[in-house]
Amino acid sequence: MLLQVENLYVKYGNIEALHGISFNVNEGEIVTLIGSNGAGKTTSLHTIMRLPPPEAPKVVSGNIRFKGQSILKTEPHDVVRNLHVALVPEGRHIFGNLSVMENLTLATYARKDSTEDIQRDLDFVFSLFPRLAERRKQRSESLSGGEQQMLAMGRALMSKCTFILLDEPSMGLAPLLVYEMFRTLKKLNEEAGMTILLVEQNANLALKFSHRGYVLDTGEILTQGTSEELMNDPIVKKAYLGG
């Protein structure tokens, strides 16, 4: 098992945001967290990444294990550098005043492998997102929303991650670009072996492209199952899938 979240309680100040949630992600899976706004989905990702407050809340009790080892005392930069986990945050948070190429290059700052390896990964990113190659010298703030999402994903991949956390990757994108983005995620999973933990407002689409899912509501996990099981669950269909 790659990631285990065990009976996790976390707080923002005096407000408890997660109430003893437990879930896991196996290597090579796409797992999705679905739920309404305020359910605790983004909080879960930020806590896994060990982001400092105010971005992530304080862990009160419980544990997060990566390959069996607790990471509660792991610094965020070590989550990226040593565990090869990367976050594509909601809102992308690219460096708009820098070029596409500069954004991608910044993501390699902690890598200790060869220039040839870095170039190979850059070529891979450009093969996934040809538009980034076309716009490599362009200031990132001038990119479209879809192109900025591609850049945020490309930046994560340039960190040499093998496990990627994605927070609302379809937000603000046209439907055609949304499907293109999810097809790219599927390709990363099937062809590159990438493990993916996904938070997505489009629950139907997220479950269609994932292996398993968990349903969160106000900081608690209501149910879990394979994507097929959740898509056929009457309660999940009515509450989250428009059924």
Side-chain angles (χ1 to χ4, degrees):
M1 193 174 295
L2 189 62
L3 175 74
Q4 293 170 277
V5 174
E6 303 172 336
N7 200 30
L8 191 67
Y9 288 81
V10 297
K11 285 186 175 181
Y12 287 107
N14 294 323
I15 301 172
E16 192 170 83
L18 298 177
H19 316 303
I21 68 168
S22 297
F23 65 88
N24 63 77
V25 180
N26 297 312
E27 191 167 359
E29 280 189 313
I30 301 177
V31 174
T32 188
L33 304 178
I34 64 174
S36 57
N37 289 337
K41 306 184 301 297
T42 294
T43 297
S44 298
L45 298 190
H46 286 184
T47 307
I48 292 167
M49 286 301 300
R50 308 307 307 129
L51 298 184
E55 288 81 4
K58 178 182 179 181
V59 175
V60 178
S61 63
N63 210 341
I64 303 172
R65 299 184 187 276
F66 189 84
K67 294 185 177 179
Q69 301 298 313
S70 175
I71 62 170
L72 288 185
K73 295 183 179 181
T74 304
E75 295 293 333
H77 59 271
D78 287 326
V79 172
V80 178
R81 180 187 303 169
N82 299 329
L83 304 184
H84 304 293
V85 180
L87 171 68
V88 179
E90 179 182 350
R92 296 134 198 172
H93 294 282
I94 59 172
F95 297 100
N97 62 325
L98 300 181
S99 70
V100 167
M101 193 66 189
E102 288 169 334
N103 269 272
L104 295 174
T105 301
L106 275 176
T108 69
Y109 78 97
R111 292 181 57 166
K112 298 179 181 179
D113 47 351
S114 67
T115 303
E116 290 78 12
D117 288 333
I118 292 174
Q119 183 62 49
R120 189 179 303 113
D121 288 342
L122 181 64
D123 292 341
F124 177 65
V125 168
F126 285 156
S127 72
L128 284 176
F129 306 115
R131 291 183 221 183
L132 295 184
E134 296 168 4
R135 292 158 174 73
R136 68 179 72 196
K137 296 182 180 179
Q138 191 169 322
R139 283 171 66 98
S140 301
E141 63 189 2
S142 67
L143 299 177
S144 69
E147 291 163 349
Q148 289 185 10
Q149 185 63 48
M150 295 174 194
L151 179 56
M153 287 185 59
R155 181 179 60 186
L157 294 172
M158 288 303 296
S159 71
K160 205 176 178 60
C161 67
T162 57
F163 185 12
I164 189 167
L165 313 182
L166 284 140
D167 195 356
E168 304 286 7
S170 76
M171 183 174 289
L173 302 187
L176 187 61
L177 287 177
V178 172
Y179 274 89
E180 182 180 333
M181 184 66 64
F182 273 85
R183 284 192 291 268
T184 300
L185 294 181
K186 196 70 172 177
K187 182 176 181 180
L188 282 170
N189 174 251
E190 293 180 345
E191 299 182 16
M194 187 73 63
T195 303
I196 298 170
L197 178 60
L198 172 67
V199 164
E200 173 54 49
Q201 60 182 340
N202 189 332
N204 277 294
L205 191 60
L207 290 173
K208 180 180 177 181
F209 280 87
S210 61
H211 299 100
R212 295 188 297 114
Y214 295 84
V215 180
L216 276 73
D217 182 58
T218 59
E220 298 180 350
I221 291 180
L222 295 183
T223 188
Q224 61 176 293
T226 66
S227 294
E228 184 177 2
E229 288 170 343
L230 293 179
M231 293 179 78
N232 291 319
D233 184 309
I235 296 176
V236 175
K237 288 172 69 173
K238 181 177 181 180
Y240 302 103
L241 307 180

